[in-house]
Each structure stands twice: as C-alpha cells, then as structure tokens.
Amino acid sequence: MALQTLDIQRRSATTTPSPGVRQTTEVAKLIDISKCIGCKACQTACMEWNDIRDEVGSNAGTYDNPRDLTENSWTVMRYSEVEVEQGKLEWLIRKDGCMHCADPGCLKACPSPGAIIQHGNGIVDFQQANCIGCGYCIAGCPFNVPRISRKDNKAYKCTLCSDRVGVGMEPACVKTCPTGAIVFGSKTDMIQHAEARIVDLKERGYAKAGLYDPQGVGGTHVMYVLQHADQPELYHGLPRDPAISPMVSLWKGVTKPLMSLGLGLVALAGFFHYVTVGPNEVGDEEEEV
Amino acid sequence: MAKSSSVLIKRYTASDRLNHWTVAITFMLLALSGLALFHPAFFFLTHLFGGGPWTRILHPFAGVLLFAGFVGMMLRFWKLNRITDDDRQWLRQVGDVIRNREDRLPPVGHYNAGQKYLFWTMVVCIPLLLLTGVLVWRPYFAPLMPIFAVRLAVLLHAVAAFVIIAGIVVHIYAAIWVQGSVRAMTRGTVTRAWAKQHHPAWYREITK
C-alpha cells in the first residue's frame, strides 16, 4: 500500500478508476505576488532540492534568468514592468511554473498509462520512467509548462515537491522564501489566507486585488494573489481564463472512444457480411469459355 | 474446351505489386503504432515495436516511407481512378453490390467505384497525415511549431487516420469477399472468369 499522502486519484491513459477509498486533503501553494521581491531564492531552492542545473545563459536585458522554463528549470521568475496608472511604474514579478490544475490538460492528452498522475492531494506529477517523449502534454497544457529534455526525450516540470509533501514537508520554494510570499497548506486554508491578503491589499489602494484560481481548469493547486486580478495578462501573459484547448478536448474527449468504436464496428460489419451474404464467387455459368 | 478459370490475365506488374506491398506493410506498422498512442485500449500494441518510446520514434519514419511509396502508387493509378457516370450509378446501387448482385450493375472497368473512392480518400488523407504528422514530430519539428498548429494537427491527424484505417479495413475485407482478388496483388494475375464477372468493361478492353 502506498503512503496515504501519495494516493493517486488519476492516471494518464487509464480508463478505470484509481484507488479512491480515502479522502486526502487537497493541498495548495499560494504565491502572493505583492510580497515577492524577485530574489530568486525559490529558483535556487528548486534546483538544489531537485538536483537540477540549467546551462548558464546570456543576459537578454531583463532579470529573467534563465529566460524560460526548461527541463532543468522548473520555476522561473518573470519580471514585468507595467504602468497600470499613468506615471506609476510597477514591477510585477511572477513565479512561473506548473499550476497543478484540478483538471490537468497534460494528463488528459498523455497517451502513456501512468506517465502523468494526479495525487489525491491534487499534485500533478510526471513519472519520467513511463514517459515516451511524444509531447502531447505540451499540447494539452494551457499554461505552456512541460518541457522535453533534449538529453533523454522525457518531459519534466515542477513536482510541487511531491516527495517532500508526501512526508509532511512544504515544497522547497516555500521553505526558502524570505518574505513569506509563498505559503503552503490545505487548499481551503490557502484560500482563507489569500482572502485576508486581498482585504489588506484593497485597503492599500489595490481595488482590484484578487485570487487567481482559474475555474476553467477546475481550479489550481498553485494560486496567485494578484494586485490587479482584473488584468492577469499584466503578469507576463498569465491567461485570463485558461482552459484545455477545445481541439485537445475534442481529440481526447469524444473522438478517442467514438473512433475506436467505429473501427471495431467496421471490422465487425465485414465479418457479419461474410457470414450472412457470403463471399462473391465467380459463377458457374462464367466458367466455360 | 478450356475452363476460363484456368486462363490467367495479367492485372498487376511485379513493380506494381512491390509498390503496393511497400505501402501496405508500412501502413500496417503505422496503423498499429498509431492506434497504440491513440487510445489506452490499444496501448499494448507498443510492445510490438519495443515499447512506448520506440513506438513514438518509429511511427513518423514509417510515415515518411509510406508517403514516398504512396506517391508512386498515385502516379501509377491516377488515370485508372477517374470517376465516371457509371461509377455514380454503381454507387447508387451499392445495395446490389452488398447483396452480390453484380449482374444489375453498370459494367465495371479496371476499378469499380468503391476502389476509386478509396483511392481518392487516400490521396486526400495521406498527404494530410504527413503534414500534420510533421507538425507534431518530436524531437525534430514540433518544438518549432506554434502551439495552435500542434493542437490542430493532432486532431486532424486522428480524424484522417480514422478515415483511412476504416477505408483499409473495407479494402482488405473486399479483397477477401470478392474471391480470387488477392492473387491479383500477390501473383499479378486473375482468372478470365474473375475479370469477366467483376470487371467486364476492363475484360472487353483487354480482349479486343
């Protein structure tokens, strides 16, 4: 029996239910962008705990370093300079990475059984041993998160430190954050915590402060407190209403079972035709020349 | 008096047969590996190819081979597959076809309408499968493509594959159903009786 904290509630390319007698507490990581100072300690802690090292890149004129998520950088700080009000420059710094959707597009798209799993606590985790490197998870993800390694052709992303969470610890980024901008706990507690923060932010003049927990993907297990929740795009293009692409839903929703059934029926129709109508043989009267 | 069943007529050259079976073998590999990655019920088929990653690696290369082979077939058989008014009539009488009442049908030439429409289905589907396949081909091409194109491509690839697999199932069944057809593609010849009964217009043409 697996650890209760690591119970699996959903598995990619699996049509029968996963073990589900236990009710595991849903967890969430809450990132309060108004408290982030962009120190990148979380990036460093992520590299350290997960033992991943990216290549040293070059400066592209922003603080974004590395410039994008990679198989070796599961979280990256995104720096956006915006003027929401004329003449009032704001530096919005968003910790980008997997959002751990309740309805994960990657898991829906994945063709390999058990290559992507969703734990009972909501964490979406890639099992690289089962990954075939097809990249369907990339097509499925509404947040552009998974990355395939050029070294081993396996997909990688933030695990929400499932190995730490499984033994009762918080993720490495949460542990290290010096300003308390990242907190971790049950999803209910995190929503409550966010509400208090939003009240505070509103008092401080951010009338549109709010929680980012997009319902288009069933809510997420990584949530943001945004100063400008009405304009999530300001935060390096955070999608306003993310959802699994309709093309992916159609592909993995209706077509998958219907087309499989269709092919079976075509083959069966052929067989039934043979045993009822019978083969078309050359008639006797045609035989003589 | 010789029996017409023992008189053989050439239908396909060795080169035609080689071309057909190159496409047929690559098609089988593609259908099995493609289905394996399409629905979990077929995932066990990955074992035929040495596991999931090998299935993912081999499928697109087999696709390129099939396409190259199909270009050859397309050039060979293009003219023979022109749709005529008789073909439209044949299609309207598909009920007679299914009930083995060929005597009621307009005279069939080298190919019947069913064979012709399968040909044109393949002419549409195979290039579409190649194009959409390249768009999602990892690790080489997919990383260079916009995500919208990749998503559209996986969907179209699945739909085109469904159409073509269903078409080939019918094609294979028809070869079994219409007895004496398989030898056309394995030995290159058919009996005179077969030609007279199933492709009378073609028979008249070659015995003129």
Side-chain angles (χ1 to χ4, degrees):
Chain A
M1 191 181 75
L3 282 166
Q4 182 187 351
T5 43
L6 292 177
D7 265 356
I8 291 165
Q9 61 165 301
R10 232 187 312 185
R11 234 174 143 256
S12 56
T14 304
T15 43
T16 50
S18 292
V21 292
R22 289 184 293 213
Q23 188 64 50
T24 314
T25 307
E26 244 183 286
V27 297
K29 179 164 83 179
L30 180 70
I31 303 169
D32 184 346
I33 292 184
S34 67
K35 278 187 176 180
C36 176
I37 57 170
C39 69
K40 297 182 186 163
C42 53
Q43 276 184 220
T44 311
C46 178
M47 288 167 61
E48 197 172 32
W49 176 259
N50 294 298
D51 202 14
I52 43 176
R53 299 289 183 275
D54 217 326
E55 285 164 33
V56 177
S58 54
N59 190 313
T62 76
Y63 279 86
D64 298 33
N65 177 25
R67 288 172 68 185
D68 196 6
L69 296 169
T70 72
E71 63 273 25
N72 293 313
S73 297
W74 298 347
T75 187
V76 166
M77 310 304 295
R78 308 283 200 177
Y79 298 77
S80 306
E81 291 170 30
V82 298
E83 275 184 68
V84 180
E85 276 174 55
Q86 274 292 317
K88 188 180 165 238
L89 180 75
E90 282 186 75
W91 208 18
L92 306 177
I93 307 163
R94 176 165 71 88
K95 178 189 183 306
D96 195 7
C98 178
M99 300 294 285
H100 297 272
C101 307
D103 183 16
C106 56
L107 190 148
K108 186 165 194 169
C110 177
S112 182
I116 303 180
I117 56 168
Q118 186 178 44
H119 289 295
N121 59 19
I123 295 178
V124 179
D125 218 352
F126 286 7
Q127 305 286 302
Q128 280 82 20
N130 295 336
C131 174
I132 65 168
C134 64
Y136 289 1
C137 52
I138 295 172
C141 177
F143 293 98
N144 185 21
V145 164
R147 294 291 184 272
I148 293 189
S149 162
R150 278 149 294 177
K151 194 170 155 193
D152 60 13
N153 285 308
K154 305 287 181 199
Y156 292 89
K157 68 161 191 74
C158 161
T159 66
L160 205 66
C161 285
S162 53
D163 49 350
R164 293 174 58 91
V165 173
V167 292
M169 297 196 287
E170 73 276 64
C173 56
V174 179
K175 173 93 174 170
T176 204
C177 181
T179 66
I182 320 176
V183 286
F184 180 82
S186 77
K187 178 147 180 176
T188 332
D189 285 354
M190 291 304 104
I191 290 173
Q192 254 176 30
H193 184 92
E195 277 163 2
R197 285 295 304 148
I198 290 158
V199 170
D200 185 50
L201 281 168
K202 283 184 173 164
E203 279 170 5
R204 290 162 186 262
Y206 292 102
K208 305 286 186 187
L211 177 68
Y212 187 80
D213 177 24
Q215 295 307 303
V217 289
T220 53
H221 296 93
V222 170
M223 304 183 293
Y224 292 113
V225 170
L226 304 177
Q227 304 96 314
H228 309 288
D230 56 328
Q231 299 175 72
E233 298 89 350
L234 293 175
Y235 301 83
H236 198 276
L238 187 63
R240 177 179 292 270
D241 193 15
I244 298 174
S245 156
M247 286 181 286
V248 173
S249 301
L250 197 61
W251 167 45
K252 286 292 173 174
V254 199
T255 63
K256 205 168 73 161
L258 278 189
M259 286 184 185
S260 305
L261 187 71
L263 291 179
L265 288 178
V266 171
L268 199 65
F271 178 71
F272 283 167
H273 179 264
Y274 194 88
V275 298
T276 52
V277 179
N280 183 348
E281 287 160 315
V282 176
D284 288 339
E285 67 276 20
E286 299 285 348
E287 293 280 350
E288 297 298 325
V289 178
Chain B
M1 200 191 270
K3 282 213 165 187
S4 71
S5 57
S6 59
V7 180
L8 297 179
I9 297 173
K10 190 88 181 161
R11 188 160 162 87
Y12 291 114
T13 64
S15 155
D16 290 340
R17 273 127 63 199
L18 196 64
N19 197 164
H20 171 269
W21 288 108
T22 312
V23 172
I25 291 166
T26 47
F27 180 86
M28 289 312 290
L29 295 176
L30 283 157
L32 294 173
S33 55
L35 285 171
L37 302 186
F38 179 61
H39 192 286
F42 302 121
F43 192 78
F44 74 96
L45 293 169
T46 55
H47 292 302
L48 297 175
F49 302 90
W54 270 116
T55 306
R56 185 264 305 164
I57 292 165
L58 294 173
H59 181 92
F61 287 103
V64 171
L65 279 180
L66 180 137
F67 181 76
F70 184 70
V71 169
M73 289 190 78
M74 215 160 70
L75 297 175
R76 266 167 220 274
F77 301 126
W78 188 276
K79 278 187 186 165
L80 293 174
N81 282 284
R82 292 218 175 105
I83 307 284
T84 65
D85 285 339
D86 276 352
D87 291 324
R88 292 188 191 95
Q89 182 56 35
W90 187 97
L91 216 60
R92 275 192 286 272
Q93 285 176 247
V94 76
D96 287 327
V97 176
I98 289 167
R99 285 188 292 271
N100 292 340
R101 292 305 307 265
E102 272 170 302
D103 48 308
R104 298 184 187 172
L105 299 169
V108 171
H110 194 281
Y111 288 126
N112 65 42
Q115 293 172 300
K116 287 180 182 178
Y117 280 108
L118 178 73
F119 177 82
W120 296 114
T121 305
M122 295 189 58
V123 169
V124 172
C125 285
I126 290 176
L128 181 65
L129 283 163
L130 180 83
L131 179 73
T132 53
V134 167
L135 285 172
V136 299
W137 191 348
R138 282 183 194 275
Y140 312 114
F141 302 105
L144 311 170
M145 305 299 170
I147 193 71
F148 175 83
V150 171
R151 287 171 179 159
L152 184 62
V154 283
L155 180 62
L156 290 178
H157 198 81
V159 173
F162 167 74
V163 170
I164 203 165
I165 294 172
I168 293 300
V169 169
V170 173
H171 175 65
I172 294 170
Y173 174 65
I176 300 167
W177 163 31
V178 181
Q179 304 262 300
S181 302
V182 174
R183 63 169 303 152
M185 246 335 148
T186 52
R187 308 294 302 278
T189 52
V190 291
T191 65
R192 194 140 93 176
W194 183 94
K196 258 168 113 175
Q197 180 166 330
H198 304 307
H199 299 272
W202 175 62
Y203 178 75
R204 272 203 303 279
E205 200 179 303
I206 55 171
T207 51
K208 257 201 300 239

